[in-house]
Amino acid sequence: QKEVEQDPGPLSVPEGAIVSLNCTYSNSAFQYFMWYRQYSRKGPELLMYTYSSGNKEDGRFTAQVDKSSKYISLFIRDSQPSDSATYLCAMSDRGNNRLAFGKGNQVVVIP
Amino acid sequence: DAGITQSPRYKITETGRQVTLMCHQTWSHSYMFWYRQDLGHGLRLIYYSAAADITDKGEVPDGYVVSRSKTENFPLTLESATRSQTSVYFCASQDSGRGPGELFFGEGSRLTVL
């Protein structure tokens, strides 16, 4: 079993819809949880960063972490065509700079 | 411009040839990483470095060599390229004062091995 599981999709939604993405993981030592966004033919860029459990909101983006269920989520409200990208979850344990990445979830927002 | 740059962006080579991918960052970040990205596998860590002259293996190091004589440079060498090394390679850096996982990625180097 891979440490991090992420359904690769792709996911197509109409503009203005809510996008819901999630990852599950097996390593209970993970404490740092990230979402990266990657546009086509570009490098990933950090979108959301969360430590431990709870929610974090940044504009139209909300990241949720449920450590008891080993489950993390990313929600995009009022989705825009510019949100069309691949979203990768990543996580790490304390003091470890070796991230475990999900395979990425391609999102297409249709105008 | 400040940031992290990779070169070449595109490279076609033949089996058995040596290839070096360059990575340069202007932030003086302590940590640097090399990942490869393949369909069905996502991002996999090849090598990383915590500081100049300190390197360590990642998940898929076989067939690759790295060095880090200067903080700002972290070249990745394929000593004898194989078709299975056809991939997109990403270099990343991280400031030691930031939390684990706050990486800054380059734009990638697309390598094709014929």
Side-chain angles (χ1 to χ4, degrees), chain B residues 4-51:
Chain B
I4 183 164
T5 55
Q6 294 184 231
S7 62
R9 294 291 313 279
Y10 302 91
K11 175 77 175 177
I12 299 174
T13 191
E14 295 177 338
T15 301
R17 300 254 179 153
Q18 183 179 82
V19 176
T20 296
L21 306 179
M22 305 299 293
C23 180
H24 175 80
Q25 52 110 351
T26 59
W27 293 303
S28 298
H29 286 170
S30 297
Y31 290 95
M32 295 188 76
F33 307 82
W34 273 107
Y35 287 89
R36 60 178 288 175
Q37 188 174 39
D38 305 284
L39 272 174
H41 290 281
L43 280 165
R44 292 182 290 175
L45 181 64
I46 305 171
Y47 269 96
Y48 69 102
S49 168

Side-chain angles (χ1 to χ4, degrees), chain B residues 44-103:
Chain B
R44 292 182 290 175
L45 181 64
I46 305 171
Y47 269 96
Y48 69 102
S49 168
D53 297 322
I54 300 174
T55 62
D56 207 350
K57 295 178 180 179
E59 182 184 354
V60 288
D62 292 344
Y64 303 95
V65 174
V66 293
S67 62
R68 195 163 175 212
S69 57
K70 292 184 177 181
T71 299
E72 61 266 29
N73 296 324
F74 191 38
L76 176 74
T77 297
L78 288 67
E79 293 187 300
S80 179
T82 65
R83 288 196 182 92
S84 65
Q85 293 177 310
T86 292
S87 186
V88 182
Y89 291 85
F90 288 100
C91 179
S93 71
Q94 180 191 331
D95 184 353
S96 60
R98 305 299 291 262
E102 294 192 62
L103 303 185

Side-chain angles (χ1 to χ4, degrees), chain A residues 26-46:
Chain A
S26 57
N27 188 344
S28 58
F30 288 148
Q31 295 190 50
Y32 301 88
F33 304 91
M34 287 69 67
W35 287 95
Y36 282 83
R37 178 175 62 194
Q38 185 177 20
Y39 290 115
S40 180
R41 295 188 173 265
K42 297 288 187 182
E45 56 178 338
L46 184 62

